[in-house]
Amino acid sequence: MSTKKVIIIAALLFASLTARGQLYLGGGIGIGTSGNGVAFTFAPDISYRVSNNFLVGAQASYRTGYDRLAVTPYARWHILPLEGIVSIFVSATAPFEFYPDYTTIGLRLRPGIAIRVSQGVYMLVHIGSFGYSEVFQNGRHYGDWVAAVDGNNISVGFCVGL
C-alpha cells in the first residue's frame, strides 16, 4: 500500500472519529510533596469515547522533584453518564513509571468526578489511587500495595471533545 493511501485512510478515520465527538484531548496538573520540597506533575492525555459511560485512553506525565516520567494507559467507567453536568467515574490504570534509579509497573483504580464546563469540555478531578505496583531496581524486584488519598494523589485536569 502506498504512503499516499495510508495517509488518506488515516485522515478519513481521524475525521470520522472527531465528527462524532468521540476523541478527547486534555491533560492535567498536580501538586504535591517530595523529599526535595514541592513536586509538580504535568500530564497530557488522549482518550476515545467508546460509549456514554466508557472511555479508553493514555496519559504521559512528568513529575518534578522525583524526575519521574510515566506512560499510563487507562479505561474509565462513568458510573453516572457523561450526559449530565456531573459524572462520577473510576479509572482502571496500568502505569509504567520511570525514575532515575528504578522502574515501576502497576495496576490501580483512581476514582474521580467529571464536571461539564460547556458542551464537550470537562474538568476532571482524580481523588486517590488504590492498587498494586511492582518495583524493579538493580536486578531485583518487589511488590507494593498502594492506597493513598493525599495531596500527591489528587489531580485536576481538563478534556475537550473534538
Side-chain angles (χ1 to χ4, degrees):
M1 188 180 296
S2 72
T3 305
K4 186 176 180 180
K5 288 181 183 177
V6 170
I7 292 172
I8 291 171
I9 291 170
L12 290 173
L13 179 62
F14 183 75
S16 69
L17 292 177
T18 58
R20 296 189 341 211
Q22 292 180 306
L23 189 64
Y24 290 86
L25 294 177
I29 58 169
I31 187 169
T33 59
S34 73
N36 302 330
V38 177
F40 296 95
T41 302
F42 306 96
D45 185 301
I46 185 167
S47 61
Y48 177 75
R49 185 173 174 177
V50 178
S51 71
N52 286 346
N53 293 8
F54 189 70
L55 289 93
V56 293
Q59 183 178 73
S61 64
Y62 177 75
R63 183 170 189 139
T64 65
Y66 294 103
D67 290 329
R68 183 208 62 169
L69 179 64
V71 177
T72 307
Y74 64 85
R76 182 175 298 143
W77 178 59
H78 286 263
I79 298 164
L80 296 175
L82 278 171
E83 307 309 321
I85 294 175
V86 175
S87 176
I88 298 170
F89 64 83
V90 175
S91 295
T93 67
F96 297 88
E97 301 173 320
F98 305 95
Y99 295 85
D101 55 344
Y102 65 95
T103 302
T104 69
I105 299 171
L107 291 172
R108 298 185 186 145
L109 294 177
R110 298 203 64 207
I113 59 172
I115 302 167
R116 187 174 67 192
V117 177
S118 67
Q119 186 64 30
V121 178
Y122 297 90
M123 182 175 77
L124 303 174
V125 180
H126 283 92
I127 306 162
S129 179
F130 309 94
Y132 184 79
S133 288
E134 191 74 17
V135 178
F136 298 88
Q137 184 176 28
N138 299 327
R140 298 178 297 129
H141 66 90
Y142 58 91
D144 189 20
W145 287 96
V146 176
V149 184
D150 59 15
N152 290 323
N153 289 289
I154 297 173
S155 64
V156 177
F158 284 89
C159 70
V160 177
L162 299 178

